């Protein structure tokens, strides 16, 4: 009988039996296997048991599907391997025999074990491991690593995930992830959006959202056109927020390059639900300020006297909401639920990393000011239609990506102190 053993979360130790054929997994009640975990999508993945092979197929999940720490869209899994859905970790077990490679000499005597103090290569049991992948944590011998040139320097990279490997010393048995402090990674935050395919992703996103913005600004005639403009706004806002969550989650897992834009495979998970989460997040953070300030603006517009005290209170509430927003956004992204904005969860988390969080808020404020100034200058000095809006959109997307990266790095560097999952 094939089964999954849950290794993390409140249901740790629970067992999930799998049946032959299709097993759909997710939070929604219409799945074959319903898992109530905030990092698991409504329809997260499908586990297919056919002809003695177990295949994992991701269904466009928000937080990804991983086998032994490697993100997958569709891949087979063997007994003993780890399956991770979002932040939920499980082990796959089966009574079926594990696939083996036939030996050229089936009756030959087994080779002697490695000398004491040496760890074996993942692919060659009798070759000592000399390299450790920081991402998937596999050990490799010299013959199993790929030599790549990165920034004019040759480095050894993992054959499975392509990430850089570090030298693995003899006598070291524990596979430990190289941890870097939050502050040591600050200089790299603003180069992150340009790493790998980052520039292409930013340009593509700028054009996509620029076209949606132009369509929304078109004159509206009739109820149908108004409804279409509202739908475009939902698509733009929801898709953007979905990608911001993806950047946070990728950075929180230690990835060093920008993830690809989400697929439109699931309109609810990729657009509608993120849009509702974004609207709820903004209303919770800035609703009180808007309620008081909007009332005073309305009174000012009709020529009535404005209360200075109410204006100051509205400004104070707006500043509080702005300082609350980054940690609340991080919590919503990691939990994949608007429940992450709960003050009983957010405020203690801020107090656990006060200095790091102060830096995050200062960077957010500086990014907002810089983007506003850039937009004004571009509009003033480039009188070409559409071009200033596109350049301003690119700058906005760049700073937004860097800020999400900063939130993910803060979580990754302090996850032991935050202790969320």
């Amino acid at each position: 009988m094939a089964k999954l053993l849950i290794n993390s979360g409140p249901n740790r130790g629970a067992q999930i039996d799998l049946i032959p054929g299709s097993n759909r997994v997710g939070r929604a009640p219409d799945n074959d296997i319903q898992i109530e975990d905030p990092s698991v999508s409504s329809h997260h993945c499908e586990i297919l048991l056919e002809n003695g092979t177990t295949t994992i197929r991701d269904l466009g999940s928000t937080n990804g599907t991983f086998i032994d720490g490697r993100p997958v869209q569709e891949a087979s899994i063997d007994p003993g391997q780890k399956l991770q859905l979002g932040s939920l970790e499980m082990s796959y077990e089966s009574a079926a025999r594990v696939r083996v490679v036939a030996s050229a000499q089936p009756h030959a005597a087994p080779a002697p074990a490695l000398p004491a103090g040496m760890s074996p290569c993942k692919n060659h049991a009798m070759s000592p491991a000399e390299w450790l992948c920081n991402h998937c944590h596999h050990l490799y011998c010299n013959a199993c690593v790929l030599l790549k040139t990165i920034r004019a320097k040759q480095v050894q990279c993992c054959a499975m995930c392509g990430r850089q490997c570090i030298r693995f010393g003899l006598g070291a048995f524990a596979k430990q992830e190289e941890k870097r402090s939050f502050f040591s990674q600050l200089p790299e935050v603003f180069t992150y959006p340009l790493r790998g395919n980052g520039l292409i992703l930013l340009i593509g996103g700028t054009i996509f959202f620029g076209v949606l913005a132009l369509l929304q600004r078109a004159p509206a005639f009739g109820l149908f056109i108004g409804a279409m403009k509202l739908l475009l706004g939902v698509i733009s806002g929801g898709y953007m927020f979905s990608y911001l969550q993806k950047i946070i989650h990728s950075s929180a897992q230690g990835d060093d390059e920008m993830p690809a834009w989400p697929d439109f495979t699931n309109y609810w998970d990729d657009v509608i639900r993120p849009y509702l989460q974004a609207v709820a997040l903004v209303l919770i953070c800035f609703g009180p300020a808007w309620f008081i300030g909007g009332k005073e603006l309305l009174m000012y517009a009709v020529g009535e006297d404005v209360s200075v005290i109410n204006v100051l209170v509205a400004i104070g509430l707006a500043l509080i909401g702005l300082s609350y927003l980054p940690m609340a956004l991080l919590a919503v992204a990691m939990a994949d639920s608007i429940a992450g904005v709960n003050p009983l969860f957010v405020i203690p988390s801020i107090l656990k990393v006060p200095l790091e969080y102060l830096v995050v808020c200062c960077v957010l404020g500086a990014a907002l000011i810089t983007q506003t100034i850039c937009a004004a200058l571009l509009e003033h000095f480039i009188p070409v239609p559409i071009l200033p809006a596109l350049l301003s959109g690119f700058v906005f997307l760049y700073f937004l990506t860097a800020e999400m990266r900063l939130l993910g790095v803060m979580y990754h560097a302090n996850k032991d102190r935050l202790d969320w999952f």
Side-chain angles (χ1 to χ4, degrees):
M1 170 69 74
K3 59 186 177 181
L4 296 172
L5 298 179
I6 298 179
N7 299 330
S8 64
N11 296 319
R12 183 174 183 176
Q15 175 178 308
I16 299 174
D17 292 328
L18 303 175
I19 61 173
S22 176
N23 298 261
R24 294 176 67 89
V25 184
R27 282 204 326 270
D30 60 342
N31 289 285
D32 301 306
I33 300 171
Q34 184 181 10
I35 297 180
E36 293 291 346
D37 186 281
S39 67
V40 175
S41 295
S42 300
H43 299 89
H44 199 106
C45 72
E46 180 183 21
I47 304 175
L48 193 63
L49 277 66
E50 285 185 337
N51 302 323
T53 301
T54 302
T55 302
I56 308 297
R57 182 182 297 124
D58 187 81
L59 299 177
S61 63
T62 300
N63 296 323
T65 301
F66 306 83
I67 295 178
D68 283 346
R70 178 172 56 93
V72 298
Q73 290 299 318
E74 182 172 343
S76 61
I77 187 172
D78 289 326
Q81 288 190 293
K82 304 295 183 184
L83 174 64
Q84 181 178 338
L85 310 182
S87 61
L88 181 67
E89 297 180 357
M90 296 178 284
S91 299
Y92 173 65
E93 294 187 3
S94 175
R97 186 167 57 184
V98 180
R99 298 192 303 268
V100 297
V101 178
S103 171
Q105 298 178 343
H107 301 294
L114 288 174
M118 292 187 179
S119 297
C121 168
K122 178 182 183 294
N123 300 322
H124 305 97
M126 296 317 302
S127 297
E130 298 186 46
W131 299 96
L132 166 66
C133 176
N134 265 333
H135 181 69
C136 61
H137 306 298
H138 290 312
L139 297 173
Y140 296 106
C141 63
N142 267 328
C144 292
V145 293
L146 304 175
L147 195 62
K148 293 185 179 180
T149 301
I150 300 178
R151 297 175 185 174
K153 180 181 178 182
Q154 287 191 327
V155 296
Q156 282 72 18
C157 295
C158 175
M160 179 175 291
C161 68
R163 301 301 176 86
Q164 186 173 346
C165 297
I166 61 172
R167 177 71 70 173
F168 184 76
L170 297 178
F173 290 92
K175 306 174 188 178
Q176 296 181 347
E177 180 183 4
E178 183 184 15
K179 294 203 68 174
R180 299 177 59 194
S181 70
F182 170 78
F183 294 101
S184 70
Q185 299 180 69
L186 278 179
E188 302 174 5
V189 166
F190 292 98
T191 63
Y192 169 79
L194 306 177
R195 253 181 251 159
N197 295 326
L199 182 59
I200 297 174
L201 293 169
L202 287 180
I203 293 174
T206 300
I207 295 173
F208 174 74
F209 290 109
V211 170
L212 290 182
L214 286 175
L215 292 174
Q216 286 180 272
R217 294 194 191 103
F221 300 102
L223 181 62
F224 176 75
I225 300 298
M228 289 301 297
K229 292 179 69 173
L230 176 61
L231 178 61
L232 289 174
V234 172
I235 293 174
S236 178
Y239 193 63
M240 171 68 79
F241 194 71
S242 177
Y243 189 52
L244 298 184
Q245 289 179 308
K246 196 171 181 180
I247 294 173
I248 291 176
H249 204 271
S250 171
S251 299
Q253 291 181 329
D255 291 339
D256 292 327
E257 294 185 3
M258 283 177 59
W261 287 93
D263 298 325
F264 274 108
T265 53
N266 189 320
Y267 194 70
W268 172 260
D269 283 335
D270 294 333
V271 176
I272 299 298
R273 189 161 58 86
Y275 178 79
L276 295 177
Q277 289 177 347
V279 170
L281 178 63
V282 172
L283 287 177
I284 290 171
C285 291
F286 300 107
W290 283 345
F291 178 76
I292 297 176
K295 180 181 177 182
E296 297 303 318
L297 284 175
L298 184 61
M299 293 176 63
Y300 179 78
V302 298
E304 297 185 12
D305 292 336
V306 175
S307 170
V308 177
I309 294 179
N310 286 345
V311 171
L312 293 176
V313 170
I315 294 174
L317 289 173
L319 292 175
I320 292 174
L322 190 62
S323 62
Y324 189 85
L325 176 64
M327 187 63 81
L329 174 57
L330 175 61
V332 169
M334 295 304 297
D336 193 24
S337 171
I338 195 60
V341 300
N342 188 341
L344 297 178
F345 182 76
V346 173
I347 294 176
S349 298
I350 293 175
L351 297 178
K352 290 177 181 177
V353 287
L355 190 56
E356 291 88 342
Y357 191 66
L358 177 62
V359 171
V360 169
C361 291
C362 290
V363 171
L364 174 61
L368 290 174
I369 294 172
T370 304
Q371 196 277 329
T372 303
I373 294 174
C374 285
L377 292 176
L378 289 170
E379 191 71 31
H380 180 74
F381 289 106
I382 304 180
V384 181
I386 301 176
L387 186 57
L390 287 176
L391 292 176
S392 176
F394 178 86
V395 173
F396 174 73
L397 192 56
Y398 167 83
F399 280 115
L400 204 56
T401 300
E403 179 66 20
M404 298 307 106
R405 169 67 175 177
L406 193 61
L407 287 173
V409 166
M410 181 181 71
Y411 178 82
H412 183 256
N414 299 281
K415 56 186 176 183
D416 292 337
R417 275 195 282 172
L418 291 172
D419 192 26
W420 283 1
F421 305 110

